[in-house]
Amino acid sequence: MKIKSFKRQLRNIHKIVGLLFCITIVIIGVTGALYSYSDVITNYEKESYLRARYKPNAEPLSLRELSERFYRQRPDADIRYIRGLTLGDNLKSLTFTTFNDGKYSFYHIDMYSGDIAEHSFIAERVFWAIVLLHTSLDFEAQNATGRHIVAATTIAIIVLTITGLYFYIPMLKHNFSRNMKLDLKAKGYGFWYKLHSVVGVYTCLFVLTMCLTGLWWSYDWYRDMLYDLA
């Protein structure tokens, strides 16, 4: 009786957690999927820009020289990220991302002179907005409330994944091959339950990996722990 009561309570937790976080799960999932295409789209835009300014006989400056020249132009800037790319035909691109006054700014650097290019890459700004929405449910980087909601949603997905596996493992033990396949002839609740369960089993390791690494964005102590482990 105690085991049945425990399973009933766990099933209720699974349903309640799913209902409470369903909207934020969709937002995080959609923005994460969109961001996975950021490199392809952003690099395409950058390549067309760089090709028109390519200097085949010139040597690009070193990162140290580029950083020094950047600080001469923006002495109050706080560089948070440096992104370097080598595209087709040895085209080189460098972008400094800075954080000042609660906002992120992007600076594309001329690899040969160290000057800040006036050109603004639309794709880069769009995908950064998607990242902020993905990590804080807002377009402001310092939205602590949004970051906590995203963290809670991430933990909720972990709970949903583990409890879902707990419920479905007995069925796999009973008939593994049958319960790892979709029954396309099933209708109504049976079809949706099987779809939910089978897809969940196939993707559980990927989902858990994404959640456990995604918490890097939410908690400083978790980020520090991952750094220590690495």
mmCIF file of all heavy atoms in Angstrom, residues 119-150:
data_model
loop_
_atom_site.group_PDB
_atom_site.id
_atom_site.type_symbol
_atom_site.label_atom_id
_atom_site.label_comp_id
_atom_site.label_asym_id
_atom_site.label_seq_id
_atom_site.Cartn_x
_atom_site.Cartn_y
_atom_site.Cartn_z
ATOM 1 N N HIS A 119 29.788 48.580 -39.225
ATOM 2 C CA HIS A 119 28.746 47.655 -39.663
ATOM 3 C C HIS A 119 28.148 46.899 -38.474
ATOM 4 O O HIS A 119 28.867 46.471 -37.573
ATOM 5 C CB HIS A 119 29.316 46.658 -40.670
ATOM 6 C CG HIS A 119 28.286 45.758 -41.271
ATOM 7 N ND1 HIS A 119 27.482 46.141 -42.316
ATOM 8 C CD2 HIS A 119 27.924 44.498 -40.963
ATOM 9 C CE1 HIS A 119 26.676 45.156 -42.638
ATOM 10 N NE2 HIS A 119 26.922 44.137 -41.828
ATOM 11 N N SER A 120 26.847 46.745 -38.491
ATOM 12 C CA SER A 120 26.148 46.004 -37.438
ATOM 13 C C SER A 120 25.504 44.767 -38.054
ATOM 14 O O SER A 120 24.745 44.863 -39.019
ATOM 15 C CB SER A 120 25.080 46.886 -36.789
ATOM 16 O OG SER A 120 24.340 46.159 -35.839
ATOM 17 N N PHE A 121 25.818 43.614 -37.493
ATOM 18 C CA PHE A 121 25.262 42.371 -38.021
ATOM 19 C C PHE A 121 23.892 42.113 -37.382
ATOM 20 O O PHE A 121 23.778 41.935 -36.164
ATOM 21 C CB PHE A 121 26.200 41.204 -37.743
ATOM 22 C CG PHE A 121 27.497 41.298 -38.487
ATOM 23 C CD1 PHE A 121 28.656 41.714 -37.843
ATOM 24 C CD2 PHE A 121 27.549 40.996 -39.833
ATOM 25 C CE1 PHE A 121 29.850 41.802 -38.528
ATOM 26 C CE2 PHE A 121 28.746 41.080 -40.532
ATOM 27 C CZ PHE A 121 29.893 41.486 -39.884
ATOM 28 N N ILE A 122 22.877 42.093 -38.219
ATOM 29 C CA ILE A 122 21.505 41.925 -37.731
ATOM 30 C C ILE A 122 21.339 40.562 -37.064
ATOM 31 O O ILE A 122 20.764 40.450 -35.979
ATOM 32 C CB ILE A 122 20.505 42.085 -38.891
ATOM 33 C CG1 ILE A 122 20.596 43.499 -39.473
ATOM 34 C CG2 ILE A 122 19.076 41.792 -38.418
ATOM 35 C CD1 ILE A 122 19.761 43.710 -40.713
ATOM 36 N N ALA A 123 21.843 39.509 -37.703
ATOM 37 C CA ALA A 123 21.666 38.156 -37.172
ATOM 38 C C ALA A 123 22.278 38.016 -35.788
ATOM 39 O O ALA A 123 21.718 37.366 -34.902
ATOM 40 C CB ALA A 123 22.281 37.137 -38.123
ATOM 41 N N GLU A 124 23.431 38.649 -35.577
ATOM 42 C CA GLU A 124 24.114 38.565 -34.285
ATOM 43 C C GLU A 124 23.253 39.165 -33.172
ATOM 44 O O GLU A 124 23.145 38.607 -32.076
ATOM 45 C CB GLU A 124 25.451 39.298 -34.380
ATOM 46 C CG GLU A 124 26.457 38.882 -33.334
ATOM 47 C CD GLU A 124 27.847 39.356 -33.694
ATOM 48 O OE1 GLU A 124 28.004 40.544 -34.014
ATOM 49 O OE2 GLU A 124 28.774 38.529 -33.650
ATOM 50 N N ARG A 125 22.633 40.289 -33.453
ATOM 51 C CA ARG A 125 21.791 40.951 -32.448
ATOM 52 C C ARG A 125 20.495 40.181 -32.211
ATOM 53 O O ARG A 125 20.019 40.073 -31.073
ATOM 54 C CB ARG A 125 21.498 42.385 -32.876
ATOM 55 C CG ARG A 125 22.749 43.252 -32.958
ATOM 56 C CD ARG A 125 22.439 44.685 -33.339
ATOM 57 N NE ARG A 125 23.667 45.464 -33.430
ATOM 58 C CZ ARG A 125 24.290 46.006 -32.387
ATOM 59 N NH1 ARG A 125 23.787 45.854 -31.176
ATOM 60 N NH2 ARG A 125 25.409 46.689 -32.552
ATOM 61 N N VAL A 126 19.940 39.644 -33.277
ATOM 62 C CA VAL A 126 18.696 38.872 -33.139
ATOM 63 C C VAL A 126 18.934 37.630 -32.288
ATOM 64 O O VAL A 126 18.166 37.335 -31.358
ATOM 65 C CB VAL A 126 18.143 38.483 -34.523
ATOM 66 C CG1 VAL A 126 17.028 37.453 -34.383
ATOM 67 C CG2 VAL A 126 17.622 39.706 -35.256
ATOM 68 N N PHE A 127 20.006 36.917 -32.577
ATOM 69 C CA PHE A 127 20.266 35.688 -31.839
ATOM 70 C C PHE A 127 20.711 35.962 -30.408
ATOM 71 O O PHE A 127 20.501 35.127 -29.521
ATOM 72 C CB PHE A 127 21.299 34.824 -32.573
ATOM 73 C CG PHE A 127 20.708 34.056 -33.719
ATOM 74 C CD1 PHE A 127 21.025 34.376 -35.026
ATOM 75 C CD2 PHE A 127 19.802 33.034 -33.488
ATOM 76 C CE1 PHE A 127 20.472 33.679 -36.087
ATOM 77 C CE2 PHE A 127 19.242 32.324 -34.540
ATOM 78 C CZ PHE A 127 19.577 32.653 -35.842
ATOM 79 N N TRP A 128 21.335 37.114 -30.156
ATOM 80 C CA TRP A 128 21.653 37.446 -28.769
ATOM 81 C C TRP A 128 20.376 37.720 -27.988
ATOM 82 O O TRP A 128 20.259 37.348 -26.814
ATOM 83 C CB TRP A 128 22.595 38.636 -28.697
ATOM 84 C CG TRP A 128 23.028 38.915 -27.287
ATOM 85 C CD1 TRP A 128 22.660 39.958 -26.500
ATOM 86 C CD2 TRP A 128 23.877 38.099 -26.478
ATOM 87 N NE1 TRP A 128 23.234 39.862 -25.255
ATOM 88 C CE2 TRP A 128 23.989 38.726 -25.217
ATOM 89 C CE3 TRP A 128 24.564 36.903 -26.713
ATOM 90 C CZ2 TRP A 128 24.754 38.183 -24.196
ATOM 91 C CZ3 TRP A 128 25.322 36.374 -25.678
ATOM 92 C CH2 TRP A 128 25.408 37.015 -24.443
ATOM 93 N N ALA A 129 19.393 38.360 -28.640
ATOM 94 C CA ALA A 129 18.099 38.579 -27.993
ATOM 95 C C ALA A 129 17.437 37.236 -27.682
ATOM 96 O O ALA A 129 16.804 37.065 -26.626
ATOM 97 C CB ALA A 129 17.199 39.424 -28.896
ATOM 98 N N ILE A 130 17.595 36.267 -28.584
ATOM 99 C CA ILE A 130 17.041 34.931 -28.349
ATOM 100 C C ILE A 130 17.725 34.265 -27.160
ATOM 101 O O ILE A 130 17.081 33.601 -26.337
ATOM 102 C CB ILE A 130 17.184 34.072 -29.625
ATOM 103 C CG1 ILE A 130 16.235 34.587 -30.709
ATOM 104 C CG2 ILE A 130 16.899 32.601 -29.334
ATOM 105 C CD1 ILE A 130 16.411 33.911 -32.055
ATOM 106 N N VAL A 131 19.046 34.459 -27.042
ATOM 107 C CA VAL A 131 19.792 33.900 -25.903
ATOM 108 C C VAL A 131 19.279 34.484 -24.592
ATOM 109 O O VAL A 131 19.072 33.763 -23.600
ATOM 110 C CB VAL A 131 21.301 34.165 -26.052
ATOM 111 C CG1 VAL A 131 22.031 33.874 -24.749
ATOM 112 C CG2 VAL A 131 21.880 33.317 -27.160
ATOM 113 N N LEU A 132 19.077 35.797 -24.560
ATOM 114 C CA LEU A 132 18.582 36.445 -23.336
ATOM 115 C C LEU A 132 17.197 35.934 -22.976
ATOM 116 O O LEU A 132 16.898 35.690 -21.800
ATOM 117 C CB LEU A 132 18.554 37.964 -23.529
ATOM 118 C CG LEU A 132 19.913 38.650 -23.677
ATOM 119 C CD1 LEU A 132 19.728 40.149 -23.888
ATOM 120 C CD2 LEU A 132 20.792 38.407 -22.456
ATOM 121 N N LEU A 133 16.349 35.764 -23.989
ATOM 122 C CA LEU A 133 15.011 35.223 -23.735
ATOM 123 C C LEU A 133 15.109 33.784 -23.238
ATOM 124 O O LEU A 133 14.342 33.367 -22.358
ATOM 125 C CB LEU A 133 14.186 35.287 -25.019
ATOM 126 C CG LEU A 133 12.696 34.960 -24.906
ATOM 127 C CD1 LEU A 133 11.996 35.937 -23.961
ATOM 128 C CD2 LEU A 133 12.030 34.997 -26.275
ATOM 129 N N HIS A 134 16.056 33.047 -23.767
ATOM 130 C CA HIS A 134 16.252 31.646 -23.384
ATOM 131 C C HIS A 134 16.761 31.514 -21.958
ATOM 132 O O HIS A 134 16.391 30.576 -21.236
ATOM 133 C CB HIS A 134 17.250 31.007 -24.354
ATOM 134 C CG HIS A 134 17.518 29.558 -24.097
ATOM 135 N ND1 HIS A 134 16.636 28.564 -24.444
ATOM 136 C CD2 HIS A 134 18.582 28.931 -23.524
ATOM 137 C CE1 HIS A 134 17.136 27.389 -24.092
ATOM 138 N NE2 HIS A 134 18.318 27.577 -23.531
ATOM 139 N N THR A 135 17.602 32.452 -21.516
ATOM 140 C CA THR A 135 18.251 32.334 -20.210
ATOM 141 C C THR A 135 17.586 33.154 -19.111
ATOM 142 O O THR A 135 17.788 32.872 -17.927
ATOM 143 C CB THR A 135 19.728 32.749 -20.297
ATOM 144 O OG1 THR A 135 19.808 34.085 -20.824
ATOM 145 C CG2 THR A 135 20.491 31.813 -21.221
ATOM 146 N N SER A 136 16.807 34.188 -19.483
ATOM 147 C CA SER A 136 16.204 35.026 -18.437
ATOM 148 C C SER A 136 14.765 35.450 -18.744
ATOM 149 O O SER A 136 14.208 36.272 -18.022
ATOM 150 C CB SER A 136 17.054 36.282 -18.215
ATOM 151 O OG SER A 136 17.112 37.062 -19.398
ATOM 152 N N LEU A 137 14.180 34.909 -19.818
ATOM 153 C CA LEU A 137 12.789 35.214 -20.200
ATOM 154 C C LEU A 137 12.565 36.705 -20.409
ATOM 155 O O LEU A 137 11.455 37.211 -20.228
ATOM 156 C CB LEU A 137 11.804 34.684 -19.152
ATOM 157 C CG LEU A 137 11.806 33.180 -18.914
ATOM 158 C CD1 LEU A 137 10.824 32.811 -17.815
ATOM 159 C CD2 LEU A 137 11.481 32.422 -20.190
ATOM 160 N N ASP A 138 13.617 37.403 -20.761
ATOM 161 C CA ASP A 138 13.536 38.853 -20.945
ATOM 162 C C ASP A 138 14.662 39.267 -21.872
ATOM 163 O O ASP A 138 15.586 38.492 -22.125
ATOM 164 C CB ASP A 138 13.661 39.567 -19.593
ATOM 165 C CG ASP A 138 13.169 41.014 -19.643
ATOM 166 O OD1 ASP A 138 12.848 41.496 -20.745
ATOM 167 O OD2 ASP A 138 13.106 41.653 -18.581
ATOM 168 N N PHE A 139 14.587 40.482 -22.377
ATOM 169 C CA PHE A 139 15.645 40.992 -23.231
ATOM 170 C C PHE A 139 16.655 41.815 -22.445
ATOM 171 O O PHE A 139 17.539 42.440 -23.019
ATOM 172 C CB PHE A 139 15.056 41.820 -24.374
ATOM 173 C CG PHE A 139 14.155 41.014 -25.274
ATOM 174 C CD1 PHE A 139 12.806 41.286 -25.359
ATOM 175 C CD2 PHE A 139 14.666 39.963 -26.021
ATOM 176 C CE1 PHE A 139 11.976 40.540 -26.177
ATOM 177 C CE2 PHE A 139 13.850 39.203 -26.843
ATOM 178 C CZ PHE A 139 12.503 39.500 -26.918
ATOM 179 N N GLU A 140 16.502 41.841 -21.112
ATOM 180 C CA GLU A 140 17.459 42.499 -20.229
ATOM 181 C C GLU A 140 18.329 41.433 -19.570
ATOM 182 O O GLU A 140 17.824 40.485 -18.983
ATOM 183 C CB GLU A 140 16.745 43.332 -19.165
ATOM 184 C CG GLU A 140 15.946 44.501 -19.730
ATOM 185 C CD GLU A 140 16.831 45.560 -20.351
ATOM 186 O OE1 GLU A 140 17.993 45.695 -19.904
ATOM 187 O OE2 GLU A 140 16.381 46.243 -21.282
ATOM 188 N N ALA A 141 19.646 41.618 -19.669
ATOM 189 C CA ALA A 141 20.571 40.590 -19.188
ATOM 190 C C ALA A 141 20.544 40.427 -17.672
ATOM 191 O O ALA A 141 20.899 39.383 -17.145
ATOM 192 C CB ALA A 141 21.995 40.923 -19.645
ATOM 193 N N GLN A 142 20.130 41.448 -16.943
ATOM 194 C CA GLN A 142 20.202 41.404 -15.486
ATOM 195 C C GLN A 142 18.853 41.100 -14.823
ATOM 196 O O GLN A 142 18.636 41.457 -13.672
ATOM 197 C CB GLN A 142 20.744 42.739 -14.968
ATOM 198 C CG GLN A 142 22.189 43.008 -15.362
ATOM 199 C CD GLN A 142 23.115 41.940 -14.818
ATOM 200 O OE1 GLN A 142 23.156 41.686 -13.627
ATOM 201 N NE2 GLN A 142 23.870 41.296 -15.697
ATOM 202 N N ASN A 143 17.965 40.466 -15.535
ATOM 203 C CA ASN A 143 16.664 40.113 -14.975
ATOM 204 C C ASN A 143 16.829 38.878 -14.084
ATOM 205 O O ASN A 143 16.754 37.739 -14.546
ATOM 206 C CB ASN A 143 15.662 39.830 -16.096
ATOM 207 C CG ASN A 143 14.245 39.634 -15.567
ATOM 208 O OD1 ASN A 143 14.048 39.313 -14.397
ATOM 209 N ND2 ASN A 143 13.267 39.845 -16.421
ATOM 210 N N ALA A 144 17.059 39.124 -12.789
ATOM 211 C CA ALA A 144 17.312 38.022 -11.858
ATOM 212 C C ALA A 144 16.088 37.136 -11.706
ATOM 213 O O ALA A 144 16.202 35.906 -11.591
ATOM 214 C CB ALA A 144 17.741 38.576 -10.498
ATOM 215 N N THR A 145 14.897 37.742 -11.714
ATOM 216 C CA THR A 145 13.662 36.958 -11.571
ATOM 217 C C THR A 145 13.517 35.976 -12.719
ATOM 218 O O THR A 145 13.194 34.796 -12.513
ATOM 219 C CB THR A 145 12.444 37.889 -11.525
ATOM 220 O OG1 THR A 145 12.584 38.801 -10.433
ATOM 221 C CG2 THR A 145 11.161 37.087 -11.352
ATOM 222 N N GLY A 146 13.766 36.450 -13.931
ATOM 223 C CA GLY A 146 13.673 35.577 -15.098
ATOM 224 C C GLY A 146 14.672 34.439 -15.037
ATOM 225 O O GLY A 146 14.352 33.295 -15.380
ATOM 226 N N ARG A 147 15.880 34.734 -14.585
ATOM 227 C CA ARG A 147 16.905 33.694 -14.469
ATOM 228 C C ARG A 147 16.476 32.613 -13.473
ATOM 229 O O ARG A 147 16.692 31.423 -13.707
ATOM 230 C CB ARG A 147 18.231 34.302 -14.036
ATOM 231 C CG ARG A 147 18.937 35.104 -15.117
ATOM 232 C CD ARG A 147 20.198 35.750 -14.586
ATOM 233 N NE ARG A 147 21.141 34.767 -14.089
ATOM 234 C CZ ARG A 147 22.210 35.064 -13.354
ATOM 235 N NH1 ARG A 147 22.448 36.317 -13.015
ATOM 236 N NH2 ARG A 147 23.031 34.120 -12.945
ATOM 237 N N HIS A 148 15.845 33.030 -12.374
ATOM 238 C CA HIS A 148 15.387 32.051 -11.382
ATOM 239 C C HIS A 148 14.232 31.211 -11.927
ATOM 240 O O HIS A 148 14.137 30.014 -11.628
ATOM 241 C CB HIS A 148 14.967 32.767 -10.102
ATOM 242 C CG HIS A 148 16.121 33.292 -9.284
ATOM 243 N ND1 HIS A 148 17.147 32.476 -8.858
ATOM 244 C CD2 HIS A 148 16.417 34.536 -8.835
ATOM 245 C CE1 HIS A 148 18.028 33.188 -8.166
ATOM 246 N NE2 HIS A 148 17.614 34.446 -8.151
ATOM 247 N N ILE A 149 13.362 31.832 -12.714
ATOM 248 C CA ILE A 149 12.260 31.078 -13.315
ATOM 249 C C ILE A 149 12.795 30.053 -14.303
ATOM 250 O O ILE A 149 12.333 28.901 -14.347
ATOM 251 C CB ILE A 149 11.260 32.032 -14.001
ATOM 252 C CG1 ILE A 149 10.567 32.912 -12.955
ATOM 253 C CG2 ILE A 149 10.211 31.239 -14.796
ATOM 254 C CD1 ILE A 149 9.670 33.986 -13.550
ATOM 255 N N VAL A 150 13.777 30.466 -15.115
ATOM 256 C CA VAL A 150 14.392 29.542 -16.058
ATOM 257 C C VAL A 150 15.079 28.395 -15.315
ATOM 258 O O VAL A 150 14.979 27.229 -15.711
ATOM 259 C CB VAL A 150 15.401 30.281 -16.962
ATOM 260 C CG1 VAL A 150 16.240 29.285 -17.764
ATOM 261 C CG2 VAL A 150 14.680 31.225 -17.904
#
